[in-house]
Amino acid sequence: AQLTMAPKAPTSVLPSSGLKDKGTVLKDGGETYSASLNLVDAAKNHDKFYHMQVVVSKDKSKCWFVQHWGRNGTSGQTQVKGPSSKDSAIKLMLQKFKQKSGVKFEDRGKGGAAAPGSTAKTGKYEMLNRRLTKAKAGRSKKKGAVAISLMWDHTDKRKRNDLDLHVTPPSGETIFYMHKKSKCGGRLDVDRQQDANEPVENIVWKAKAPKGEYKVEVINFSSSHNAAVKFDVGICIDGGETEMLSKTVAGKERAKTLVKKFKY
């Protein structure tokens, strides 16, 4: 897959945000906080766009972080976060740009991976998406759906692990390999183990995910070595953009890492 950055990002507020009459694209410290990326992978029939920008209100008192993505030629999907402070909105955009492009926003024009005309591998999201598709995992495809997925690396056959995904929804009952289905509708539908070449796990609410706080943890259930293990977790809410989180769990068996707590 190749990710290219458009030579010119939109300087006006994205119409789909609903903020066109409320503010303008933020310009601060010599930066215009707007960017456009394109993902093209002919082999997988991928041709996607990704726009992001910070919008500041007319009275400069608040900001929003806007994301707009989808297949080129379609209207796509839009997500607006905020209102929040200017610093908070900028932080969200810088994190998202680095996650998507592989370079810092301020370095985008220095000939790096996301500079105009150059390319970068999207990597982790594409790998997770491929593994989930192969495993026929349930997905978050609409409002009310939540999917949380885990993957880790087994490239080195000498270092293998059985990592376990644990998700505790608002009901308080933890979903994991010994309790695969919760009363609130969550289900562990993919559970790969130490012998898997492309390990992945998935917990999903396809509809009517309960409102409240979710806790996501990863446990190192078993291991063929004592080294710490890197892993990635993807969280998709309401069929929107998948948030990718990279973490590490200690090499000791039964070691635990808190990945994230979030409210839905």
Side-chain angles (χ1 to χ4, degrees), residues 79 81 140 144-149 165-171 175 203-205 209-217 233-239 241-245 258-264:
Q79 184 180 68
K81 293 185 177 181
S140 171
V146 172
I148 302 165
S149 311
L165 178 63
H166 288 217
V167 175
T168 305
S171 65
I175 304 170
I203 293 174
V204 63
W205 285 259
K211 299 292 185 179
E213 184 176 82
Y214 290 69
K215 181 170 69 173
V216 182
E217 299 171 296
V233 167
I235 301 174
C236 184
I237 297 173
D238 290 337
E241 183 74 11
T242 297
E243 177 186 12
M244 294 298 297
L245 301 166
L258 174 63
V259 178
K260 184 174 183 175
K261 291 182 179 179
F262 65 91
K263 288 187 177 181
Y264 174 58

Side-chain angles (χ1 to χ4, degrees), residues 107-124:
D107 293 337
R108 65 197 183 281
K110 296 180 180 179
S118 66
T119 64
K121 293 183 178 179
T122 56
K124 293 177 181 178

Side-chain angles (χ1 to χ4, degrees), residues 137-154:
R139 304 297 190 98
S140 171
K141 296 182 178 180
K142 61 182 181 180
K143 189 172 180 62
V146 172
I148 302 165
S149 311
L150 162 70
M151 71 172 179
W152 65 102
D153 182 48
H154 272 174

Side-chain angles (χ1 to χ4, degrees), residues 58-69:
K58 290 180 178 180
D59 64 2
K60 311 296 183 183
S61 66
K62 55 192 174 185
C63 289
W64 297 267
F65 173 48
V66 179
Q67 302 170 78
H68 179 213
W69 70 93

